Amino acid sequence: MSARDLLLPLIAVLVLAGLAFSGLSGTLLNLLIFMMIISLAAQGWNILGGFGGLSSFGHAAFFGTGAYTTLILQTSLGVNAWAGLVAGVLLGAAVGAGIGFLSFRSGLKGSYFALITLAFAEVLRIASNSAPITGGAAGILLPLDYGFLNLQFDDRRWFALIAILFVGAALALTRWLERSRFGAYLIAIRENEQAAQALGVDVFRVKLGAITLSAGCTALAGVLYAQNYLFVDAHVAYGPWISIEALFAAIVGGLGTMFGPLVGAVALLGLGEITKMVSGGVPGVDLLVFGAILILTVAFVPGGLMSLRQRLTGRRRPRGETALRSEEGA
Amino acid sequence: MLSVDGLTKRFSGLVAVDDASLAAPEGRITGLIGPNGAGKTTLFAMAAGFLTPDAGTVTFAGEDVTAEPPHLRARRGMARTFQIVQPFAGLTVRENIAVGAHLHHPSRAEAMERADAIGKRVGLAKDLDRAAAGLTVAGRKRLELARALATQPKLLLLDEVLAGLNPSEIRDILPVIRAIRDEGVTILMIEHIMQAVMNLCEHVYVLAQGKMIAEGPPIEVSRDPQVVEAYLGHGAAARMQAAGGADA
């Protein structure tokens, strides 16, 4: 990976930061922050589901662990928010490694893997709904206290900037995947596990590494969510909604691409918001739109929005790699 | 280089490989032939670690590797191709080969460079940027070979790399295989095409119904009455002799 590889993530960060500081209204700024959080969750999902071909239906397990960890540490132990963030990411990654160890050891793939991850997330949801440490059904509230160390800002643009920087870091991580041996091995496993094994790939270890990275990234989204709303309960943390939004954004944006999850999150949440405004706030109408978009994407643009761009520009290029691939995909 | 001793594999009631032994001496091309369903591919899968034998041992470069998973055997220098080709369909030919090259070249750029060189060597120079899914049968067979070669193996297990190729394609690829051997890579190949076996192998083993029934230089083995019967049915050898070999 060279400095040039980081150019696109850097441009994305600059554009998003410029947007955050362009004088957006409070509502729009909140939407931008929420887009960044969902993007991070989806970027995490994309590492495992997009690059590794292992579709999880339970990324809530990591999101929720990140969210709960930081709030519990702050409220009951008085740890500062940044340490809480690091702990949340690490614990989320550890939960990923644990679920990965159990699933991959038993060779779970495809729908079996999706189901087992869903089961883990649901168990965590039910447990956290009744356990005293997670505040039971009441959840955990973090008292309002502005300050950099508390990761709470009177001027919400600063929080947006921090979320954007993390999204940028996740973009860089994805770029590294595209440029490294680990990433090449992960993609090889997605394409053909047996062939990868024959070429010396330790399938178990690569998958375990992928789910750990993926879980850490999604846990970071959970930490930011908790930090943004200063509240978390079992449904928000471990509910299926976040598992679904993470995979929606990644699939709609483009599986296994660097910008896919970000583009997907922005497109989905943006459209959802517009629908809510137009319909005058009918509850759940944005979910209806999400479903329709997913169906349209899978039917007409199976490669996601990112492949749309390649399809449009591919015609004008010489017969390069992308042009050929989109022909085959079509 | 490789020796398997007394390998046995049962699939519930069926004994696919029954107490089979063979050796692939260093620097040679050894052949494994036999009628369809003889258990050749099963034997290969056990040699490469994709199946665990019910009995017997696999020894590679003097070490017992019977219980080792495939990726560790690959790191020791054992590479295999698949009879039913297994390309990474969504990747380009170059990226496919690079996965193999990564075994000894952690850097992406180096692995891609190696992939270029190996792709050219097996005759895939024009196709390096194509998606593997778009290759012809012959191209895919070459890709299997290239990927295995990219791991810099000491031993190459080739499972019917010539099957499905037309005679001119076979003529093109024979020198490639011989050149690999000349560089010091030991080869064990399963092959149906007798012309190729005669042409390449110094020593062949014949597997029929899971049992090793003959071994020796290809010419001798092809005249062995037991081998003829295994291929053509019971009594065939006697009838051929009676007919003075005219029908052969």
Side-chain angles (χ1 to χ4, degrees), chain A residues 21 50 57 85 114-115 123 199 201-202 227 251 260 274-275 280 284 288:
Chain A
F21 283 87
F57 221 86
L85 181 143
L115 279 176
V123 165
L199 298 176
V201 178
D202 187 341
Q227 208 62 47
I251 292 173
I274 291 169
T275 329
L288 215 65

Side-chain angles (χ1 to χ4, degrees), chain A residues 179 181 188 191-192 194 201, chain B residues 71 75 86 88 90 102 108:
Chain A
R179 296 281 185 271
R181 167 156 79 174
E191 296 290 322
N192 193 323
Q194 215 183 21
V201 178
Chain B
H71 69 269
R75 285 175 198 178
Q86 311 265 8
F88 302 124
H102 264 312
R108 188 86 188 127

Side-chain angles (χ1 to χ4, degrees), chain B residues 70-153:
Chain B
H71 69 269
L72 293 182
R73 296 190 202 197
R75 285 175 198 178
R76 284 178 186 274
M78 193 190 282
R80 73 167 292 188
T81 67
F82 291 91
Q83 179 185 6
I84 300 161
V85 292
Q86 311 265 8
F88 302 124
L91 305 186
T92 65
V93 168
R94 180 186 286 112
E95 287 166 338
N96 262 269
I97 307 173
V99 174
H102 264 312
L103 186 60
H104 294 293
H105 300 277
S107 129
R108 188 86 188 127
E110 257 178 67
M112 290 300 222
E113 246 171 68
R114 291 277 310 160
D116 267 24
I118 290 163
K120 282 182 188 125
R121 215 179 124 194
V122 301
L124 284 170
K126 280 186 309 204
D127 302 312
L128 282 168
D129 288 316
R130 288 182 68 169
L135 288 178
T136 59
V137 175
R140 287 175 197 212
K141 295 277 183 181
R142 282 173 195 266
L143 179 57
E144 282 283 319
L145 188 61
R147 262 191 341 199
L149 270 182
T151 66
Q152 294 168 272

Side-chain angles (χ1 to χ4, degrees), chain A:
Chain A
M1 194 149 118
S2 62
R4 244 185 88 227
D5 291 328
L6 293 175
L7 193 64
L8 281 176
L10 189 68
I11 292 174
V13 165
L14 289 177
V15 168
L16 288 166
L19 199 62
F21 283 87
S22 67
L24 291 180
S25 71
T27 321
L28 284 180
L29 194 60
N30 278 336
L31 179 63
L32 180 66
I33 290 173
F34 193 55
M35 281 172 173
M36 292 305 106
I37 291 172
I38 298 302
S39 171
L40 262 179
Q43 284 173 302
W45 192 92
N46 188 40
I47 294 173
L48 188 66
F51 285 86
L54 289 154
S55 299
S56 145
F57 221 86
H59 260 50
F62 319 133
F63 183 87
T65 303
Y68 268 126
T69 304
T70 184
L71 289 201
I72 290 171
L73 286 178
Q74 287 180 72
T75 51
S76 52
L77 296 177
V79 172
N80 98 37
W82 290 93
L85 181 143
V86 172
V89 170
L90 290 180
L91 210 62
V95 168
I99 292 176
F101 183 85
L102 294 171
S103 326
F104 303 145
R105 193 82 323 188
S106 353
L108 291 183
K109 278 184 259 184
S111 38
Y112 298 98
F113 177 71
L115 279 176
I116 204 78
T117 49
L118 176 64
F120 273 112
E122 283 294 281
V123 165
L124 286 171
R125 184 177 65 81
I126 291 159
S128 64
N129 201 34
S130 53
I133 186 172
T134 50
I140 301 176
L141 255 166
L142 186 64
L144 191 67
D145 185 6
Y146 295 130
F148 180 77
L149 285 181
N150 292 338
L151 204 49
Q152 296 181 32
F153 301 92
D154 191 16
D155 183 346
R156 297 183 48 70
R157 288 180 299 184
W158 294 107
F159 190 81
L161 181 65
I162 285 171
I164 288 166
L165 287 175
F166 280 129
V167 167
L171 288 175
L173 176 72
T174 316
R175 182 54 109 196
W176 170 78
L177 275 183
E178 291 176 342
R179 296 281 185 271
S180 68
R181 167 156 79 174
F182 177 80
Y185 278 179
L186 187 58
I187 293 169
I189 290 171
R190 176 189 75 199
E191 296 290 322
N192 193 323
E193 194 169 316
Q194 215 183 21
Q197 251 180 330
L199 298 176
V201 178
D202 187 341
V203 170
F204 178 71
R205 263 183 66 179
V206 172
K207 282 183 180 176
L208 202 59
I211 196 172
T212 307
L213 273 181
S214 169
C217 189
T218 301
L220 179 59
V223 170
L224 293 182
Y225 185 97
Q227 208 62 47
N228 187 42
Y229 295 99
L230 304 177
F231 171 74
V232 67
D233 68 5
H235 176 73
V236 162
Y238 288 126
W241 73 278
I242 182 63
S243 302
I244 293 171
E245 275 189 34
L247 72 88
F248 257 33
I251 292 173
V252 168
L255 285 177
T257 61
M258 179 171 67
F259 280 115
L262 176 61
V263 169
V266 169
L268 274 176
L269 296 177
L271 271 172
E273 204 60 27
I274 291 169
T275 329
K276 264 194 255 177
M277 278 195 289
V278 170
S279 69
V282 181
V285 70
D286 50 333
L287 293 179
L288 215 65
V289 173
F290 284 8
I293 292 175
L294 185 69
I295 292 169
L296 290 175
T297 307
V298 171
F300 297 109
V301 212
L305 294 175
M306 292 307 288
S307 74
L308 209 59
R309 186 192 59 112
Q310 287 179 351
R311 223 189 266 185
L312 293 177
T313 55
R315 299 244 156 80
R316 269 176 278 131
R317 276 187 207 167
R319 293 179 63 84
E321 184 185 330
T322 47
L324 259 169
R325 249 202 235 177
S326 57
E327 272 167 36
E328 301 230 329

Side-chain angles (χ1 to χ4, degrees), chain B residues 131-200:
Chain B
L135 288 178
T136 59
V137 175
R140 287 175 197 212
K141 295 277 183 181
R142 282 173 195 266
L143 179 57
E144 282 283 319
L145 188 61
R147 262 191 341 199
L149 270 182
T151 66
Q152 294 168 272
K154 297 191 188 96
L155 170 73
L156 201 50
L157 301 169
L158 303 178
D159 193 350
E160 296 204 27
V161 278
L162 306 178
L165 304 190
N166 68 37
S168 88
E169 286 164 343
I170 291 175
R171 256 197 314 280
D172 289 344
I173 207 163
L174 288 183
V176 176
I177 295 174
R178 212 173 286 121
I180 294 167
R181 192 266 323 268
D182 292 342
E183 279 173 23
V185 179
T186 308
I187 295 174
L188 174 62
M189 60 191 305
I190 293 180
E191 205 44 82
H192 264 310
I193 297 169
M194 282 313 278
Q195 170 213 348
V197 174
M198 299 284 183
N199 209 311
L200 288 173

